[in-house]
Amino acid sequence: MGPFVSFMFFLSAFASDNPADVPRKFGLKVSTLRPFGLEALERTEVEVAWRGWRTRAWKFGDERYGEFQVALDRATPLGEKVSFGLRLRAVAVDIEGFGRRMGLCLDLGLSGALFGAWSFGLSAGNPLGSKVGGERLPQDLRMEVSYAGDVKLKVGVEKEVHFPPIFWAEVACPAAEELCLYTGASGHEVWAGVGVSFGRFLLVYRTGYHRALGISQGICLGYGYDLEEVGDFRL
């Protein structure tokens, strides 16, 4: 299977976030992202969360390389300010000419309050080094710091063992009671987006630009989430 499969695993890995950040209230999201207009990199995700539990399913790729994952997250409070999260993922990979390979892996997360409106998050993807079809799933470490005031700010770094670290930042700025604007940068890509809410329902559109690969577009439909929470459409 080789380096190509390892690279595709890397591209699809960042669909996941910190398993410790699971909302207690009911929430539903459906999103799709097409990087650089390429169907081969298209990613579709469905998520349902309630009372510290979250189940997610996402599909990545096309008929030449397709990946399907189902995950179950559980976030548990550790005192009043810290939460620990555990994620179990089932991964199925279809490769043209090689058939289907399947496997399981575990992710860990920790999040909590620092001081004032500041908080932190740490997560480790596949720390046990699980494999699918002889290829090790990405092993990555993510660290972030967030500020939740009138404007919501997140900055962080992600490091996969075989790739250089990726630094990123994003800002969510409420422009009106039912309108939120987003912007951010990650690696060589910059993006911007807009979100609107209709009661408990919301709609977010996002577009990004990479100087070598071009434009990416994404859309998210949701229920039960705050607009500031759903603007993260990073690659």
Side-chain angles (χ1 to χ4, degrees):
M1 295 164 65
F4 168 77
V5 177
S6 297
F7 180 64
M8 297 300 279
F9 275 152
F10 171 71
L11 285 176
S12 65
F14 294 111
S16 59
D17 54 15
N18 193 333
D21 292 331
V22 180
R24 302 294 301 177
K25 60 186 179 182
F26 177 80
L28 169 67
K29 286 194 296 184
V30 179
S31 63
T32 183
L33 175 66
R34 177 170 284 195
F36 322 124
L38 299 176
E39 183 181 357
L41 300 182
E42 187 170 279
R43 199 168 74 209
T44 301
E45 180 177 338
V46 178
E47 169 185 316
V48 179
W50 189 50
R51 293 188 177 181
W53 291 89
R54 176 170 57 195
T55 182
R56 315 173 75 180
W58 63 88
K59 181 181 180 298
F60 172 84
D62 59 8
E63 67 276 0
R64 290 167 294 178
Y65 177 93
E67 183 178 321
F68 183 74
Q69 299 195 37
V70 177
L72 180 64
D73 299 1
R74 173 58 176 168
T76 303
L78 301 178
E80 297 182 358
K81 295 185 176 182
V82 178
S83 178
F84 171 76
L86 188 67
R87 171 183 296 133
L88 179 64
R89 277 191 289 144
V91 183
V93 177
D94 292 302
I95 305 174
E96 191 174 48
F98 288 91
R100 170 169 290 189
R101 303 290 187 272
M102 302 181 69
L104 293 172
C105 83
L106 196 67
D107 305 328
L108 305 175
L110 192 69
S111 66
L114 291 174
F115 52 88
W118 292 91
S119 61
F120 75 94
L122 299 171
S123 61
N126 190 28
L128 301 181
S130 299
K131 297 182 179 181
V132 170
E135 292 285 343
R136 193 178 303 279
L137 292 167
Q139 293 180 278
D140 56 80
L141 179 65
R142 170 175 168 159
M143 297 176 287
E144 69 177 47
V145 176
S146 304
Y147 173 79
D150 293 335
V151 173
K152 189 169 184 177
L153 169 67
K154 283 187 179 182
V155 295
V157 59
E158 295 164 346
K159 176 68 174 74
E160 206 278 335
V161 293
H162 296 112
F163 295 91
I166 297 176
F167 294 90
W168 56 270
E170 60 190 37
V171 178
C173 179
E177 185 176 352
E178 299 179 346
L179 178 68
C180 190
L181 304 178
Y182 314 99
T183 187
S186 175
H188 297 291
E189 192 205 26
V190 294
W191 74 88
V194 58
V196 293
S197 63
F198 310 91
R200 297 287 289 165
F201 292 90
L202 57 88
L203 171 65
V204 176
Y205 171 77
R206 173 263 201 222
T207 184
Y209 176 75
H210 189 289
R211 62 184 181 184
L213 299 174
I215 294 175
S216 303
Q217 298 188 75
I219 190 169
C220 175
L221 300 172
Y223 174 85
Y225 286 90
D226 295 331
L227 274 175
E228 294 85 351
E229 298 175 347
V230 295
D232 185 357
F233 274 85
R234 289 176 298 111
L235 299 184

